[in-house]
């Protein structure tokens, strides 16, 4: 039949927006309603609940759960499960992440560390090639069993739902299961992301069979189904998290890591990892106390180590709070923000790692006294970068100062934000690390495994972030919830590796200092200073009057087409919720509310 292509249980049917087509599924002719593309919308305002994510199908999955009586936590899990279908290269059950939850019932912010953990057998020199004594090149570390950490997403879902949800996992997974089974219309971004990693996906039988069609990326406008993932979600719906961490799925994950399913023809050197079924059985997402700083009368809550997000944003806010940013000319305010960001990154790189393995001076770095010290280093011209780390130990009961290096940082991730009519809020960022992670899918289960362990330093002696068995690598993910007088004001976050941190910094300043609405704060041009000689910036920022003034002050810029890809929810003074996503970056995101009231 013209226009219908099949591959491994998936059927691809070119469709036009709004047209219902007839498709053939598994050989039996049947009239089925074809999935249609869903519109994207960057802002939605109203009542009853809100979801903002990078993908319209995912936002609607969350909305569906809210409609059926679920709360923000249920909606967050539903949305993330759907993102695993329609954005499988950015985050899925093969990866990990961090969830920040404001519970209206307790009036408190809770966080869950669902970061991937290194298998127990991992040693500090895991990324040193024994043949050369040198670090294994990044591309080879990434596409290997060595880089794969024990996934944390399913344990995070279970913990969040059991503590804070209203619905069982079974119900919450239903929209995503339907989406995986019935399909969705591929958009340009999906096709582009597949194409970016085509050479890797083609090199593994599992990845090729699950994600490619005749060895090619699914084309924009066609319908894509992932029946393997639908079946995996059904297994989880029946068996809960233990069906992921024990039994057939756990065995398949460990088998994939120890024996990556390469196609026979590839010449790629794919190193094996050492994950066992016990590593999976022993994995737990962890409750963590949030980071908290007060800023301009608001309370900013974030993610503690092993994420560096909450601490780096917190230190930065404590530094810039001493400047009257809103009364300054914008270029002058940005100068102070850039310098504060460099100082906070200097401390991040030296001190932050998994606090179950290294002594992290959380209290010292977040103390006002330390921030005051760091602020005194900011002058009218840019400092030479990298700036050295400071000494937060006097504010933390004593310790030995350290210096760190700006470790490798790149990748892709996804962030979603949900809120409900009870006042619960969730900011959830999760990832596979690179776009498509390790590129290695678990055969028969429909999802890719992460390469999160490349977020460790390759240096076995790195003071904060060297690899170790059971350790979780340092992250930049920065899911953030802001309260005012104890009530939610906004929640936000982003993908983009270390750019995540600087994106959150700017959205907070845009909203809390410069008075922009959350949608305006997200849409505004961004820059990113990570304690490097140059500040990365979007062209619109570089070419703006303030960008030119910053250059004349001595700031050096390098251009990036896109910095971050944010979503958020704001609580408006009149009681309405405002969901916000990117209007333009990477094709734009999807903001929805249950009962629109513009
Ligand atoms: N692996 C990165 C981190 O945890 C996230 C990758 C990205 O967002 O691009 O910081």
């Amino acid at each position: 039949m013209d226009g219908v292509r099949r591959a491994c249980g998936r059927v691809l049917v070119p469709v036009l927006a709004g047209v219902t087509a007839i498709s053939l599924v598994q050989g039996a002719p049947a009239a089925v309603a074809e999935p249609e593309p869903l519109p994207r919308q960057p802002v939605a305002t109203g009542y009853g609940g809100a979801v903002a994510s990078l993908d319209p199908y995912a936002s609607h999955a969350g909305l569906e759960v809210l409609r059926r009586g679920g709360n923000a936590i249920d909606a967050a899990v539903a949305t993330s499960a759907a993102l695993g279908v329609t954005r499988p290269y950015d985050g899925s059950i093969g990866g990990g992440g961090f969830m920040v939850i404001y519970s209206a019932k307790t009036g408190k912010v809770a966080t869950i560390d669902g970061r991937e953990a290194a298998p127990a057998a991992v040693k500090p020199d895991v990324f040193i090639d024994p043949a050369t004594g040198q670090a294994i090149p990044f591309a080879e570390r990434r596409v290997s069993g060595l880089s794969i950490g024990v996934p944390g997403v399913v344990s995070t879902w279970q913990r969040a739902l059991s503590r804070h949800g209203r619905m069982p996992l079974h119900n919450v997974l239903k929209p995503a299961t339907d989406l995986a089974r019935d399909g969705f219309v591929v958009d340009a971004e999906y096709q582009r992301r597949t194409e970016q990693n085509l050479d890797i996906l083609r090199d593994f039988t599992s990845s090729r069979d699950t994600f490619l069609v005749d060895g090619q990326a699914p084309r924009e406008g066609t319908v894509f189904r992932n029946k393997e993932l639908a079946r995996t979600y059904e297994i989880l719906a029946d068996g809960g998290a233990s069906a992921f961490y024990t039994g057939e799925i756990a065995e398949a994950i460990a088998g994939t890591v120890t024996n990556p399913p390469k196609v026979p023809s590839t010449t790629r050197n794919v190193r094996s990892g050492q994950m066992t079924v016990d590593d999976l059985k022993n994995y737990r997402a962890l409750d963590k106390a949030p980071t908290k700083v007060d800023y301009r009368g608001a309370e900013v809550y974030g993610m503690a180590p092993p994420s560096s997000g909450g601490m780096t944003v917190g230190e930065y806010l404590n530094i810039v709070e001493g400047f009257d940013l809103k009364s300054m000319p914008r270029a002058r305010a940005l100068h102070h923000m850039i310098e504060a960001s460099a100082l906070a990154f200097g401390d991040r790189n030296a001190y932050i790692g998994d606090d179950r393995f290294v002594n992290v001076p959380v209290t010292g770095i977040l103390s006002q006294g330390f921030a005051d010290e760091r602020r005194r280093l900011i002058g009218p011209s840019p400092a030479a970068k990298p700036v050295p780390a400071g000494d937060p130990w006097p504010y933390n009961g004593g310790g030995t100062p350290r210096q760190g290096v700006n470790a490798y940082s790149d990748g892709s991730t996804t962030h979603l934000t949900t809120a409900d009519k009870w006042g619960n809020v969730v900011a959830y960022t999760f990832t596979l690390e690179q776009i498509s992670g390790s590129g290695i899918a678990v055969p028969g289960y429909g999802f890719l495994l992460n390469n999160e362990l490349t977020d460790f330093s390759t240096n076995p002696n790195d003071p904060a972030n060297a690899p170790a068995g059971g350790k979780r690598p340092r992250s930049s993910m920065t899911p953030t919830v802001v309260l005012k007088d104890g009530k939610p004001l906004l929640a936000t976050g982003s993908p983009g590796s270390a750019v995540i941190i600087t994106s959150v910094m700017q959205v907070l300043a845009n909203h809390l200092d410069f008075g922009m609405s959350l949608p305006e704060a997200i849409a505004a041009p961004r820059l990113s200073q990570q304690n490097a000689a140059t500040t990365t910036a979007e062209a619109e920022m570089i070419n703006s009057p303030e960008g030119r003034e910053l250059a004349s002050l001595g700031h050096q810029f390098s251009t990036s087409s896109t910095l971050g890809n944010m979503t958020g929810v704001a609580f408006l003074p009149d009681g309405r919720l405002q969901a916000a996503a990117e209007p333009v970056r990477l094709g734009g995101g999807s903001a929805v509310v249950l009962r629109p009231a513009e």
Side-chain angles (χ1 to χ4, degrees):
M1 181 179 180
D2 266 353
V4 178
R5 305 164 66 204
R6 296 148 183 283
C8 304
R10 285 165 290 110
V11 178
L12 291 161
V13 186
V15 290
L16 298 170
V19 173
T20 298
I22 304 291
S23 76
L24 296 178
V25 181
Q26 303 288 358
V32 291
E34 272 302 310
E36 295 182 6
L38 293 179
R40 288 169 184 278
Q41 142 182 5
V43 187
T45 310
Y47 298 99
V51 183
S53 83
L54 304 189
D55 178 73
Y57 290 101
S59 294
H60 281 273
L63 202 62
E64 179 60 25
V65 160
L66 288 173
R67 193 174 289 122
R68 287 198 240 137
N71 66 11
I73 294 86
D74 302 317
V77 174
T79 306
S80 64
L83 284 166
V85 179
T86 55
R87 289 282 178 258
Y89 308 122
D90 299 340
S92 76
I93 55 176
F98 298 98
M99 190 182 281
V100 178
I101 301 167
Y102 170 77
S103 160
K105 195 157 99 199
T106 63
K108 294 207 162 74
V109 175
T111 76
I112 301 175
D113 163 6
R115 182 70 159 167
E116 299 91 331
V122 164
K123 300 275 181 295
D125 63 356
V126 62
F127 293 124
I128 302 297
D129 188 339
T132 63
Q134 302 297 311
I136 299 166
F138 176 77
E140 201 175 317
R141 293 202 302 282
R142 173 199 168 188
V143 184
S144 78
L146 291 181
S147 71
I148 301 172
V150 181
V153 164
V154 176
S155 182
T156 306
W157 289 352
Q158 181 96 353
R159 186 164 284 256
L161 292 178
S162 65
R163 304 269 164 101
H164 305 280
R166 286 168 61 90
M167 287 181 161
L169 185 62
H170 189 275
N171 296 7
V172 166
L173 287 183
K174 180 79 169 60
T177 310
D178 292 347
L179 189 61
R181 193 189 48 244
D182 300 340
F184 62 94
V185 180
V186 169
D187 64 10
E189 190 59 22
Y190 187 100
Q191 180 177 340
R192 191 175 71 82
R193 285 178 174 249
T194 317
E195 281 166 351
Q196 272 177 2
N197 287 292
L198 214 44
D199 59 328
I200 300 172
L201 298 171
R202 280 177 181 154
D203 272 355
F204 297 93
T205 53
S206 52
S207 312
R208 178 198 65 194
D209 293 350
T210 302
F211 293 104
L212 304 184
V213 180
D214 300 334
Q216 302 296 333
R219 279 178 297 117
E220 180 185 1
T222 59
V223 171
F224 187 80
R225 299 181 172 87
N226 186 341
K227 296 194 173 197
E228 296 170 345
L229 186 59
R231 180 176 154 261
T232 302
Y233 282 172
E234 278 163 2
I235 295 172
L236 300 182
D238 291 341
S242 63
F244 186 86
Y245 292 100
T246 60
E248 60 172 291
I249 299 179
E251 280 161 27
I253 293 172
T256 307
V257 174
T258 50
N259 190 14
K262 286 196 302 182
V263 297
S265 55
T266 183
T267 54
R268 188 186 291 276
N269 180 19
V270 182
R271 295 170 195 254
S272 300
Q274 303 174 72
M275 195 181 292
T276 65
V277 286
D278 279 345
D279 288 318
L280 284 136
K281 193 172 87 195
N282 294 334
Y283 183 87
R284 299 280 177 282
L286 303 169
D287 294 326
K288 281 272 166 93
T291 61
K292 179 192 172 230
V293 297
D294 295 326
Y295 185 70
R296 314 266 190 232
E299 301 118 55
V300 180
Y301 289 89
M303 200 60 227
S307 180
S308 60
M311 288 178 68
T312 310
V313 168
E315 180 186 344
Y316 156 89
L317 290 174
N318 281 340
I319 296 173
V320 294
E321 196 172 23
F323 299 117
D324 187 4
L325 298 179
K326 83 168 180 303
S327 310
M328 289 177 177
R330 187 57 59 86
R332 176 63 47 191
L334 284 169
H335 164 72
H336 288 98
M337 291 161 65
I338 289 169
E339 296 301 290
S341 183
L343 290 163
F345 267 87
D347 298 323
R348 165 199 187 263
N349 298 337
Y351 292 108
I352 305 178
D354 185 341
D355 56 347
R356 294 171 314 138
F357 287 75
V358 288
N359 194 3
V360 182
V362 180
T363 307
I365 284 187
L366 290 178
S367 68
Q368 194 59 59
F370 182 58
D372 293 345
E373 259 188 42
R374 300 297 270 163
R375 188 186 315 110
R376 285 195 282 277
L377 300 174
I378 299 178
S381 326
K385 301 181 183 66
V387 296
D391 180 3
W393 293 113
Y395 305 93
N396 206 91
T400 311
R402 314 194 273 258
Q403 293 297 326
V405 287
N406 196 354
Y408 161 81
S409 194
D410 189 13
S412 181
T413 296
T414 192
H415 177 82
L416 63 93
T417 317
T418 59
D420 63 32
K421 64 181 176 189
W422 296 280
N424 301 298
V425 192
V426 176
Y428 185 29
T429 315
F430 62 107
T431 187
L432 293 174
E433 209 313 90
Q434 291 285 292
I435 299 173
S436 90
S438 64
I440 308 172
V442 183
Y445 292 91
F447 64 93
L448 289 155
L449 288 168
N450 66 84
N451 66 304
E452 214 68 59
L453 304 191
T454 59
D455 274 357
F456 280 126
S457 172
T458 54
N459 178 355
N461 301 313
D462 184 294
N465 195 33
K471 193 174 175 184
R472 302 179 183 202
R474 173 165 68 212
S475 169
S476 295
M477 290 187 271
T478 314
T480 303
V481 171
V482 182
L483 308 184
K484 180 112 195 210
D485 302 325
K487 297 276 175 246
L489 183 69
L490 68 89
T492 191
S494 178
S497 216
V499 164
I500 297 173
I501 297 174
T502 52
S503 299
V504 170
M505 288 172 176
Q506 285 160 92
V507 161
L508 294 179
N510 288 346
H511 188 67
L512 298 171
D513 290 279
F514 306 137
M516 295 183 201
S517 69
L518 184 62
E520 289 166 344
I522 286 175
R526 288 198 276 269
L527 49 74
S528 184
Q529 168 51 250
Q530 301 170 24
N531 200 18
T534 57
T535 298
T536 315
E538 292 172 336
E540 213 186 317
M541 172 65 82
I542 295 175
N543 299 327
S544 66
E546 49 270 25
R548 284 194 287 273
E549 213 174 314
L550 285 166
S552 71
L553 264 182
H555 288 280
Q556 289 171 29
F557 289 113
S558 59
T559 315
S560 172
S561 56
T562 300
L563 290 174
N565 192 357
M566 304 195 70
T567 71
V569 173
F571 292 73
L572 302 183
D574 62 9
R576 289 179 303 161
L577 294 166
Q578 186 163 59
E582 299 285 355
V584 175
R585 290 182 182 95
L586 296 173
S590 167
V592 294
V593 291
L594 206 50
R595 283 185 288 118
E598 299 300 334

